[in-house]
Amino acid sequence: MNDSMDMKQENHMVMLGLIQNAVSEDPADNMEKTSERIKEAAGRGARIICLQELYRTRYFPQEESRKVDHLAESIPGDSTQTFAPLAKKLGVVVIVPLFERAPDGCFYNSAVVIDADGTLLPTYRKVHIPHDPLFYEQSYFAAGNLGYRVYRTRYASFAVLICYDQWFPEAARICTLQGAEIIFYPTAIGRIHDHIPDDGDWENAWETVQRGHAIANGVHVAAVNRVGEEGRLQFFGGSFVCDAFGRVLRKAGSHKEEILIVDADLSQNQRIREGWGFIRNRRPETYGDISR
């Protein structure tokens, strides 16, 4: 590695802002509150700002059958009309996860990325859709049909994967191979009131698997979760950023709204990958069974 490349990597710093909110029943109020939080995060130096999954609505999929079409929005739509001018004014990249009503008549759990000049980049639609008690997402969302995306923005190249996507190592690896330096995971996960899971602590597993993706791929990971009680769910927050070897740089509290600001040194990514050889020493010709 030559000196010029070393210098370029040493200077690749980016400030991330994760907005961990509680959500009310009023979508307009949620959008207004989030706008103020984006301004605050930008004022504190954040250049890439990520919101939580379904930032504008309460987590309605905990009920198996509910009329929620009125909560969906188009892309472009209300959220992008609000946040695109704001991103341009502040000079920040904003990741906006929302409930999408698509032109094909389907509904998706999606994320819009707005570059720092206010440009809307192509939408990502959540690929892996859970269907379990209190997480009945297949009743509301079609599986994403746009593939995985890497966004090459003003400040960094990154991927967005949404909540349940975070349990699948294949998605993280594909995004890494496509050039992601950071993987953002906007999330809505919590504990169920009066239920002790046999498997153990969900928050520990949630954090551990994402830190594992960071290590295995040599990428930074930024996970954004909501807080607050909604129905039978207590969302546990705990938003965090870890580096390319899984070390947690900063973590938000468990039960409070918070704007987490983290300075990430993306130059570590290449050093970790080269040192451990996780990408270089892959054997793709042996992996065929994964897709059978």
Side-chain angles (χ1 to χ4, degrees):
M1 189 177 293
N2 61 42
D3 292 340
S4 63
M5 185 169 290
D6 281 340
M7 182 62 68
K8 181 179 180 182
Q9 290 179 349
E10 286 172 4
N11 291 332
H12 198 177
M13 306 291 296
V14 61
M15 194 82 79
L16 310 181
L18 311 186
I19 297 180
Q20 175 174 291
N21 274 347
V23 182
S24 77
E25 294 279 6
D26 185 345
D29 178 67
N30 295 326
M31 186 161 62
E32 181 178 356
K33 180 171 76 171
T34 300
S35 295
E36 294 305 311
R37 297 280 166 93
I38 291 171
K39 294 174 187 175
E40 182 179 343
R44 292 170 57 189
R47 299 296 89 187
I48 304 175
I49 299 170
C50 188
L51 314 181
Q52 64 208 17
E53 181 184 22
L54 299 172
Y55 90 95
R56 199 179 175 194
T57 66
R58 288 170 75 88
Y59 186 74
F60 53 81
Q62 65 181 290
E63 299 176 29
E64 192 164 11
S65 180
R66 182 179 171 187
K67 183 67 174 174
V68 294
D69 294 8
H70 65 287
L71 297 175
E73 60 178 294
S74 61
I75 302 171
D78 291 346
S79 290
T80 59
Q81 289 169 8
T82 296
F83 295 135
L86 186 60
K88 182 177 181 179
K89 178 181 178 181
L90 299 173
V92 297
V93 177
V94 183
I95 301 166
V96 186
L98 51 77
F99 181 23
E100 179 194 4
R101 177 190 291 108
D104 63 8
C106 293
F107 295 86
Y108 297 95
N109 189 334
S110 300
V112 179
V113 175
I114 305 170
D115 209 344
D117 61 357
T119 300
L120 300 187
L121 302 180
T123 299
Y124 171 71
R125 292 171 176 163
K126 184 174 180 176
V127 169
H128 302 94
I129 312 295
H131 199 74
D132 297 295
L134 299 181
F135 297 91
Y136 297 109
E137 294 197 14
Q138 291 181 22
S139 296
Y140 300 96
F141 310 125
N145 56 1
L146 300 177
Y148 302 108
R149 299 189 183 279
V150 170
Y151 298 93
R152 290 166 174 82
T153 70
R154 180 181 297 180
Y155 302 112
S157 295
F158 60 80
V160 181
L161 298 172
I162 300 175
C163 201
Y164 196 54
D165 287 333
Q166 67 209 0
W167 301 96
F168 295 85
E170 298 87 352
R173 176 54 55 87
I174 289 168
C175 291
T176 300
L177 294 175
Q178 290 179 348
E181 299 169 288
I182 311 164
I183 300 176
F184 286 91
Y185 288 104
T187 300
I189 187 170
R191 297 181 178 87
I192 301 172
H193 286 300
D194 303 320
H195 173 68
I196 300 174
D198 294 334
D199 300 330
D201 180 42
W202 287 5
E203 183 175 359
N204 180 63
W206 170 79
E207 180 181 313
T208 300
V209 75
Q210 293 174 94
R211 291 172 63 191
H213 298 329
I215 296 166
N217 293 290
V219 295
H220 279 64
V221 162
V224 193
N225 194 22
R226 67 173 64 197
V227 291
E229 292 191 18
E230 300 179 26
R232 289 188 60 199
L233 294 176
Q234 172 71 58
F235 293 99
F236 51 64
S239 302
F240 71 93
V241 175
C242 70
D243 69 12
F245 205 57
R247 291 169 292 222
V248 175
L249 302 177
R250 284 199 68 192
K251 183 173 180 177
S254 296
H255 300 291
K256 62 177 182 178
E257 295 186 312
E258 191 169 341
I259 299 173
L260 192 68
I261 305 295
V262 183
D263 202 11
D265 180 5
L266 302 184
S267 67
Q268 291 183 347
N269 293 12
Q270 190 63 27
R271 180 177 60 78
I272 293 294
R273 290 180 193 175
E274 289 299 318
W276 288 86
F278 296 141
I279 303 299
R280 181 180 68 252
N281 294 323
R282 290 182 311 117
R283 294 286 307 282
E285 70 275 13
T286 70
Y287 305 154
D289 286 347
I290 288 176
S291 59
R292 290 179 184 171

